[in-house]
Amino acid sequence: MTSVNDPGAALVVGVDSGGSGLRIALAEAASGAVLDTRSSHEPVRTGPGGISARHFLDQVLPAVRALTEPHGARPVVAVAVGAAGMATLGDELRAELPGAFADAWGVRRLALAADAVTAYAGALGQRPGAVVAGGTGMIALGTDLTSWRRADGWGHLLGDCGSGAWIGRAGLEAAMRAYDGRSGGSTALLARAEKLFGPAAGLPGALYPRTDRPAVLASFAPEVGRCAAEDPVAADILTRAARHIAEAAEAACPAGPGALVALTGGLFKMGDPLLVPLRAELEERLPQALTVAPAGDPLAGAVALAAALATGTLRLPEDPALLRLSGEGAAER
């Protein structure tokens, strides 16, 4: 019979919270091997205090209870939560989760991380380098294992250059230029825009009132990719996007040889129309870095953080906004 005092019996929980909902994994503390997962398609609400701790806990606590029930008395010894908006909207989570998890499971080791950190841990583990997370938005995060370096991730109005929203907006601008007869327009992109959104003259009225404008803009990015092989305007948009992404990777990546660079997120599923110019830009700007495929996703990163915290092997640096530790794990470092 397994004893709760046996280190091999310990469990950890990893949580990935984002715009599409929650994913929760239960794993072995010693190995990080995932035993089971649960998911919810309901994103955690944001209120006056930022990300709602109560709504988060209402989803996570029952899910973890269901995950752990088949494993009897095996203790949960560490939890890692990666959440979109943690850096700027995570005060309520940071205030309430340590006590809530301690009350629920007796957990004394907790890592609260920005989703870019769990993306990093999932992609590169605990090695120095930089990860570019690209989707509707875009952020690059790097570390030399002493401190973090962030580039972009400032939203579609102030940055996210090269992101899905950026590419989609540039493509729609080219469509409107063609509609007006201005230089720099693309009749191919105009045709795709009208097929997707209706008559071009009605596009501002259809787009501007939307509260999900970044996602709507990003929905047009694949159309830019589909046009790039035959349309020089679309190809130029992706070349400029690649330059922006590589600039962010260069800004975040630690200097010197041995650093790794990984690309993660749905943006890079666009394939060669974006990846070919991006690889060329990365080779030019980061000749000493090695570009590698990401080992795992942000949920895998949350599990890796929790397992490292449980075993005292966490090497990724703490940061007030990006990665905050509480309980025994914080005291031991």
Side-chain angles (χ1 to χ4, degrees):
M1 183 175 180
T2 303
S3 168
V4 296
N5 295 318
D6 176 4
L11 303 172
V12 296
V13 171
V15 182
D16 174 40
S17 175
S20 58
L22 274 170
R23 296 185 300 154
I24 304 155
L26 182 73
E28 301 274 1
S31 66
V34 173
L35 300 172
D36 201 356
T37 62
R38 290 287 187 277
S39 62
S40 165
H41 296 296
E42 182 181 2
V44 178
R45 291 191 291 266
T46 300
I51 302 168
S52 169
R54 176 45 49 199
H55 192 223
F56 178 92
L57 291 167
D58 285 346
Q59 296 190 68
V60 170
L61 294 182
V64 172
R65 186 159 50 247
L67 286 169
T68 55
E69 277 178 357
H71 301 279
R74 297 178 67 179
V76 175
V77 297
V79 179
V81 176
M86 180 73 80
T88 54
L89 299 171
D91 286 349
E92 192 173 303
L93 294 184
R94 287 187 282 264
E96 297 191 26
L97 294 196
F101 289 157
D103 290 344
W105 312 312
V107 170
R108 294 290 182 266
R109 296 176 180 178
L110 173 64
L112 297 177
D115 58 342
V117 171
T118 48
Y120 187 100
L124 293 183
Q126 301 196 80
R127 298 175 291 176
V131 169
V132 180
T136 296
M138 198 281 296
I139 185 172
L141 192 68
T143 182
D144 56 4
L145 304 184
T146 299
S147 62
W148 293 101
R149 300 172 66 175
R150 167 186 171 159
D152 213 337
W154 304 121
H156 75 293
L157 294 179
L158 299 177
D160 285 356
C161 298
S163 68
W166 186 95
I167 292 169
R169 194 215 61 81
L172 290 172
E173 179 190 348
M176 299 310 292
R177 284 180 171 274
Y179 179 75
D180 291 344
R182 290 179 287 154
S183 63
S186 164
T187 54
L189 290 174
L190 174 59
R192 289 181 179 266
E194 292 196 318
K195 183 177 181 180
L196 201 62
F197 298 111
L203 184 57
L207 177 63
Y208 292 162
R210 296 282 293 262
T211 58
D212 58 344
R213 283 188 298 274
V216 177
L217 292 171
S219 72
F220 194 64
E223 302 300 329
V224 179
R226 294 182 185 105
C227 286
E230 304 294 335
D231 181 47
V233 174
D236 180 65
I237 290 170
L238 296 183
T239 298
R240 288 186 286 131
R243 188 176 307 123
H244 286 309
I245 295 166
E247 286 171 349
E250 180 184 24
C253 192
L260 303 175
V261 176
L263 309 173
T264 184
L267 176 67
F268 303 111
K269 294 177 181 178
M270 189 177 294
D272 284 350
L274 176 62
L275 292 178
V276 168
L278 178 53
R279 291 189 189 107
E281 288 283 347
L282 289 171
E283 288 176 6
E284 179 180 343
R285 294 175 181 276
L286 293 167
Q288 293 181 304
L290 176 64
T291 300
V292 298
D297 65 7
L299 181 60
V303 169
L305 285 177
L309 197 57
T311 56
T313 58
L314 185 60
R315 299 174 63 207
L316 295 177
E318 291 184 66
D319 181 274
L322 294 172
L323 177 59
R324 189 175 298 190
L325 308 180
S326 64
E328 295 172 6
E332 291 169 0
R333 282 164 60 91

